[in-house]
Amino acid sequence: MRILLAEDDPLLGDGLRAGLRQLGFLVDWVRDGDAAERELCAQSYAAAVLDLGLPLKDGMEVLASIRQAGVTLPVLVLTARDAVPDRIRGLDVGADDYVVKPVDLNELAARLRALVRRAHGQPQECLSVQDVALDPAARSVTQAGVPVTLSAREFDLLHALMLNAGRVLSREQLEQHLYSWGQEVESNAIEVHVHHLRRKLGTALIQTVRGVGYTLARDLPKPR
Amino acid sequence: MKMPRSLQGRLLRLVLGLVVGVWLVTAALTWIDARHELDELLDSHLAQAAALLVVQQAVEIDDDRRGADAPTLHRYAPKVAFQVFHEGRLAQRSSNAPAEPMLEFTGHAADGFKTISIGETAWRVFAAHGRERDVQVFVGEQMESRDSILWAVLRSSLGPMLLALPLLALAAWWAVHQGVAPLRLVGRALAQRSPQALQPIAVEGAPSEMTPMLDALNGLFERIAQLLESERRFTADAAHELRTPIAAIRAQAQVALGAAADAERLHALQATLQGCDRATRLVEQLLTLSRLEAGAEHVLVAIDLTALARQVVADAAPLALSKQQTIEVNAVNPCTVRGDATLLSVMIRNLVDNAIRYGPSGATVKLAVSNAQGVVKLILEDSGPGMSSDDMERLGRRFFRVVGSGQEGSGLGWSITRRIAAVHRAVVRVARSESLGGLSVEVSFPA
């Protein structure tokens, strides 16, 4: 899951990026409000962690302007401003969650997962499509109750497809889900990962839409 | 411990004391006046009685009754005595008069009043003599009877006053009690206040005498409220400002715990330590500022600012050199100011550190100390990025930081610098440096 972290404090930003990476997130880190707004409008992230006291442009202004621009991704505001009026304003302007520093990294990760899940209309923590179940918190996958071992990229790809089950995702969209900044994307990387997933989970699960991308059908009529 | 004195008791004592004093003076004057009048009246009676006796003797001298006692006619008679001598011999006397003449015969000159004592008793005696026959008359009256009359007069005039005194005291107590009611009202209002209630006291119908006190009290409340508000804001700001370093420490520690690789763990642990150092520095700055803002008295002594500036620059030089910056001191020797050496060091260090930290690599920092007709100036210039005029204006507000500087800082350094300057009554001016193009900070000390 790829998220954007907007935090100007070098030490905290570094810690949050490292911690969220440990918990399976792909993290892009920006240090000012202008950059945060630019990236949120340009790229597709699963969610964003936004500090309010950002240089150049206050986090609240960033939030207001991306919402105005039609960006709907879940935004978690992480700030030192703990006053109730601040919280209310943050949520009203368009934050999906409001967390006061300091925060436990596991809690932050859980909140982010919950935000992403809800943004995709999933009520439960575990995603399940056909006979495949995926637990984002434990980063585990089972097929018909049997555990399946996936690499980090394969997991992220499957997670993205399952979150968007019934929708077609282009190769570029999938790449954005899988790679953060500075990570080399090989030209056929997605094809390779899809190939591996089909080998591990069966060929029927992921369908190719030629010239468009890949999709995962919610329910497939079982062959008789 | 001395008991606090009650205003009511004091007023009551004063009023009653004055009343009793006036009353005593009146009594004394009455006594003197009454005594004088009484003496005149009774003396004239004595003289008249003596004159009557002389005249009577001149008419009828009864040798047969010579030496006889006159009858006692009234119960007061024992208090009055007379003697009639004819040719040196006792002709007649009252029963209570002695046989001996009450006054010595002194011939014709013996007429007049005299106060004598016969036995234990004091007598007022009038002596008179007849002209034609050798008659000498003494009429005496016991002094005691005059005194009792005087006492009676005093009793009748002052007795009611004595009775009235307790009533008067009660009335005065009530009046004073009513008079000091606004004071009690204020006292009760103050006693019932919670420490947070700092709104002005308003007393209905407070007398004009209380206005200065109430005004002073309300002024004090206002100042305390301002102080509390600034304390509250400071605490809130400080807590708020400490959240980020603590969040960083927590995140880094958690990263270290969850790290799979040693290099990652090492990095996170080092970052944790950095975070602790930063939080410590922030706390130190907060403490310095809070001490400065508490308005404690600082002992200002003569200090050589040049020596201090050289010391601070020497300490900061390694940091500047590590950024390939040029740092220099242009100072005249010595520049004496009245100040607190520790505080001035903190101020100069803040200025120099800022210049070095916010200046790019290769920048120039110049510190000058000058003395012109007793006005000592400390000027710090740099060739750094400088500051917009908006930012210059906001500089020194607590926790204000120039955005995009890429430097971590609390924004407290400027508040501290300004406070220290204020303690020394020095003026801080921030402007664009003419010679180096960056920021110029001038601190001028009063002559």
Side-chain angles (χ1 to χ4, degrees):
Chain A
M1 215 188 292
R2 187 171 172 212
I3 62 159
L4 184 81
L5 168 66
E7 168 64 63
D8 66 322
D9 187 86
L11 223 49
L12 179 59
D14 180 70
L16 289 176
R17 184 174 56 176
L20 288 174
R21 273 183 182 164
Q22 278 179 6
L23 295 167
F25 290 86
L26 293 165
V27 183
D28 287 344
W29 178 19
V30 293
R31 294 155 199 245
D32 65 68
D34 277 350
E37 187 181 338
R38 196 175 55 238
E39 295 307 324
L40 286 173
C41 289
Q43 312 236 9
S44 87
Y45 289 99
V49 175
L50 186 67
D51 179 24
L52 291 185
L54 287 174
L56 299 181
K57 192 161 193 176
D58 189 81
M60 216 67 109
E61 290 173 45
V62 173
L63 196 54
S65 59
I66 62 161
R67 289 301 188 223
Q68 207 145 33
V71 177
T72 56
L73 94 167
V75 173
L76 183 148
V77 165
L78 177 65
T79 179
R81 297 179 201 165
D82 66 335
V84 171
D86 286 331
R87 294 166 189 253
I88 291 171
R89 203 156 60 90
L91 292 170
D92 281 349
V93 166
D96 297 275
D97 202 353
Y98 195 100
V99 178
V100 174
K101 296 172 185 175
V103 65
D104 184 275
L105 284 176
N106 293 315
E107 182 190 339
L108 185 65
R111 283 180 182 273
L112 283 171
R113 281 195 302 269
L115 286 180
V116 172
R117 198 169 66 228
R118 256 181 277 139
H120 288 89
Q122 292 275 344
Q124 288 123 15
E125 166 74 0
C126 282
L127 300 172
S128 105
V129 173
Q130 299 172 34
D131 60 347
V132 177
L134 181 142
D135 181 351
R139 288 183 74 79
S140 66
V141 176
T142 57
Q143 187 169 35
V146 182
V148 180
T149 310
L150 298 181
S151 76
R153 296 254 189 259
E154 288 160 11
F155 180 89
D156 287 340
L157 181 62
L158 183 64
H159 191 187
L161 286 168
M162 284 178 80
L163 271 176
N164 296 287
R167 277 196 294 273
V168 180
L169 293 178
S170 72
R171 208 178 70 178
E172 290 71 32
Q173 283 173 320
L174 286 171
E175 278 173 358
Q176 284 193 357
H177 277 287
L178 258 59
Y179 295 90
S180 62
W181 299 340
Q183 288 180 329
E184 195 74 23
V185 187
E186 288 157 44
S187 59
N188 62 344
I190 298 296
E191 283 85 344
V192 171
H193 293 311
V194 169
H195 175 73
H196 288 158
L197 280 177
R198 281 182 173 150
R199 208 177 56 201
K200 290 177 182 175
L201 296 168
T203 49
L205 187 67
I206 302 170
Q207 295 171 321
T208 307
V209 181
R210 282 201 187 277
V212 185
Y214 300 94
T215 188
L216 214 145
R218 264 192 201 290
D219 290 299
L220 205 66
K222 287 209 167 136
R224 302 226 165 209
Chain B
M1 209 183 91
K2 208 171 150 188
M3 282 290 285
R5 287 166 62 178
S6 128
L7 180 61
Q8 188 169 348
R10 193 182 151 104
L11 282 173
L12 204 60
R13 276 197 297 277
L14 272 172
V15 168
L16 289 182
L18 278 174
V19 166
V20 170
V22 167
W23 174 63
L24 283 177
V25 168
T26 311
L29 288 176
T30 309
W31 172 273
I32 290 166
D33 197 38
R35 178 174 195 126
H36 177 75
E37 292 298 321
L38 195 66
D39 277 350
E40 268 188 0
L41 182 69
L42 293 180
D43 280 357
S44 74
H45 282 181
L46 276 183
Q48 201 176 7
L52 279 174
L53 279 171
V54 169
V55 170
Q56 187 194 27
Q57 290 310 317
V59 176
E60 41 175 274
I61 295 293
D62 188 348
D63 281 342
D64 298 339
R65 293 186 59 200
R66 187 174 297 268
D69 288 352
T72 302
L73 297 172
H74 188 264
R75 62 188 174 97
Y76 267 12
K79 298 193 185 279
V80 184
F82 67 89
Q83 292 170 315
V84 180
F85 290 93
H86 188 233
E87 290 168 349
R89 284 177 303 125
L90 183 70
Q92 205 172 10
R93 64 167 184 175
S94 57
S95 58
N96 59 344
E100 300 307 312
M102 286 190 268
L103 293 178
E104 274 179 50
F105 290 122
T106 48
H108 291 240
D111 287 9
F113 291 101
K114 202 156 187 186
T115 305
I116 59 162
S117 35
I118 296 168
E120 303 252 307
T121 324
W123 289 81
R124 179 79 170 165
V125 180
F126 184 75
H129 68 279
R131 232 170 249 274
E132 288 142 31
R133 301 174 73 177
D134 198 3
V135 176
Q136 180 76 46
V137 174
F138 297 109
V139 183
E141 188 189 29
Q142 280 186 17
M143 290 299 281
E144 186 195 319
S145 57
R146 293 185 177 206
D147 289 344
S148 52
I149 294 171
L150 262 180
W151 275 117
V153 169
L154 271 182
R155 259 201 313 280
S156 62
S157 74
L158 298 180
M161 274 293 278
L162 211 60
L163 274 173
L165 204 60
L167 285 175
L168 191 68
L170 210 64
W173 178 85
W174 181 82
V176 170
H177 187 80
Q178 289 302 106
V180 299
L183 273 179
R184 270 197 309 280
L185 219 61
V186 171
R188 256 204 306 278
L190 283 178
Q192 283 166 356
R193 278 196 168 212
S194 72
Q196 283 79 29
L198 291 170
Q199 71 277 19
I201 289 190
V203 173
E204 288 276 322
S208 60
E209 286 86 349
M210 274 175 70
T211 316
M213 189 189 79
L214 286 178
D215 285 351
L217 211 55
N218 287 336
L220 179 67
F221 280 145
E222 205 179 305
R223 287 197 298 280
I224 292 175
Q226 279 168 3
L227 191 72
L228 279 182
E229 173 57 22
S230 108
E231 285 280 304
R232 195 197 58 72
R233 214 171 28 231
F234 184 82
T235 315
D237 285 354
H240 176 258
E241 209 57 25
L242 275 166
R243 279 220 162 91
T244 300
I246 289 172
I249 292 169
R250 198 182 198 298
Q252 294 286 2
Q254 245 186 318
V255 169
L257 272 178
D262 280 350
E264 192 187 1
R265 184 177 303 116
L266 205 65
H267 173 85
L269 285 175
Q270 271 162 356
T272 308
L273 285 182
Q274 258 181 39
C276 290
D277 290 347
R278 205 173 92 204
T280 309
R281 202 163 60 239
L282 181 59
V283 168
E284 275 166 7
Q285 283 185 318
L286 284 170
L287 282 177
T288 306
L289 197 57
S290 99
R291 278 195 209 109
L292 279 168
E293 296 204 342
E297 285 293 309
H298 299 280
V299 184
L300 304 186
V301 294
I303 280 166
D304 182 9
L305 200 63
T306 300
L308 216 57
R310 290 213 166 103
Q311 181 61 48
V312 170
V313 170
D315 291 344
L319 179 62
L321 294 178
S322 74
K323 292 184 78 174
Q324 284 90 47
Q325 292 175 339
T326 311
I327 185 163
E328 59 180 62
V329 178
N330 296 309
V332 291
N333 257 336
C335 284
T336 309
V337 293
R338 294 192 59 74
D340 178 318
T342 315
L343 291 182
L344 286 178
S345 287
V346 169
M347 183 182 80
I348 302 174
R349 192 174 315 125
N350 275 345
L351 293 175
V352 171
D353 275 358
N354 270 354
I356 295 173
R357 282 206 292 145
Y358 292 102
S361 135
T364 305
V365 178
K366 281 185 181 172
L367 180 61
V369 184
S370 66
N371 187 343
Q373 283 107 45
V375 178
V376 173
K377 281 186 182 174
L378 183 132
I379 301 170
L380 186 90
E381 289 180 284
D382 64 52
S383 64
M387 216 177 261
S388 71
S389 47
D390 277 0
D391 284 346
M392 281 187 204
E393 204 151 290
R394 275 177 290 183
L395 207 57
R397 280 192 210 161
R398 267 194 316 235
F399 306 115
F400 167 73
R401 265 182 291 171
V402 177
V403 295
S405 61
Q407 286 290 325
E408 58 179 46
S410 59
L412 285 175
W414 268 103
S415 302
I416 293 173
T417 299
R418 289 209 184 267
R419 284 298 310 159
I420 293 177
V423 165
H424 293 83
R425 285 192 290 284
V427 181
V428 182
R429 266 189 293 272
V430 182
R432 210 181 72 84
S433 164
E434 296 296 331
S435 57
L436 294 176
L439 201 65
S440 160
V441 182
E442 178 191 290
V443 184
S444 43
F445 292 84

